[in-house]
Amino acid sequence: MLLAAALALTASTAGMTGASAHSPTLSSPVPSPDSSPGTSPDTSPGPGGAPIGPGCSALESSLPNIADQTAATALSEVPDLSSLDEAVQEAGLADRLDQAEALTIFAPDNKAFEAIPQDARDQLMGDNEELTRVLTYHVVEGKKTPADLEEEGTLTSLEGGELEVKGSGENLTINDAKLVCGGVQTKNATIYVIDKVLMPE
């Protein structure tokens, strides 16, 4: 429990990991990317429309490459999510994410990981049980659009804890994490890049 305490102390300034799932079938592929200029500067619209968020332009070059990829594979294709990808691999969750039918993943970016003190981060990465618990707290069942998130408000994660969604559009927050870029479509998941790691209670 020393790890949980250390992480709790840094949660207000930190950011960390997210992802995990179960269901064993893959959903139907997402429509091919649309690069029309206009709204958000992104290229991978899915059922909920083009991705939204203040950080979408930084991810623009990666998005066309992941629309037809399954969840964990997609994470590995986005440079800004390389720390999350490493955590998913370390926890052995990649296959579960890739084989799930439909997920929503709240994905802390690299800056979120870097905000965690190195000692606490190393300890978490070395504790598979706690790492899995943290990662699965960032994942919910079903592919949620931004409108779905606004309507539902409270979501139950795969870890079992609740996530609170507030705001709308680019101003969505998940617990105390701000949206960087959301509504990014992959073959079996919708990804919302966030600026902090969400810590389960």
Side-chain angles (χ1 to χ4, degrees):
M1 291 305 101
L2 289 177
L3 169 62
L7 289 173
L9 288 174
T10 60
S12 62
T13 56
M16 188 68 201
T17 337
S20 158
H22 51 267
S23 276
T25 340
L26 295 177
S27 64
S28 57
V30 167
S32 58
D34 172 19
S35 56
S36 60
T39 57
S40 289
D42 292 302
T43 54
S44 176
I52 58 170
C56 283
S57 59
L59 304 175
E60 186 174 5
S61 62
S62 304
L63 301 186
N65 303 326
I66 67 174
D68 293 326
Q69 303 292 333
T70 48
T73 303
L75 295 178
S76 71
E77 295 287 333
V78 181
D80 282 4
L81 299 179
S82 61
S83 294
L84 174 58
D85 175 53
E86 179 184 355
V88 168
Q89 298 297 330
E90 185 68 27
L93 295 174
D95 285 346
R96 289 177 62 189
L97 291 178
D98 281 344
Q99 293 169 13
E101 182 176 352
L103 303 171
T104 294
I105 300 172
F106 300 106
D109 61 15
N110 290 348
K111 290 180 181 178
F113 281 94
E114 292 164 5
I116 297 177
Q118 186 68 51
D119 288 350
R121 199 187 324 163
D122 290 345
Q123 190 173 1
L124 179 63
M125 292 292 284
D127 185 338
N128 189 276
E129 182 177 352
E130 184 67 11
L131 181 59
T132 298
R133 181 170 173 259
V134 170
L135 290 173
T136 54
Y137 185 59
H138 291 74
V139 185
V140 299
E141 291 186 344
K143 297 178 74 172
K144 308 289 187 183
T145 66
D148 291 334
L149 297 181
E150 293 172 36
E151 183 178 338
E152 295 183 32
T154 300
L155 306 169
T156 300
S157 71
L158 294 184
E159 181 269 341
E162 291 188 344
L163 299 167
E164 185 176 11
V165 181
K166 293 182 178 178
S168 62
E170 294 192 354
N171 297 314
L172 277 175
T173 62
I174 297 85
N175 290 359
D176 62 345
K178 295 179 181 179
L179 179 69
V180 175
C181 183
V184 177
Q185 299 297 317
T186 75
K187 188 174 184 179
N188 67 326
T190 302
I191 295 174
Y192 291 81
V193 180
I194 56 177
D195 69 350
K196 290 184 179 179
V197 173
L198 308 174
M199 302 306 300
E201 294 182 0

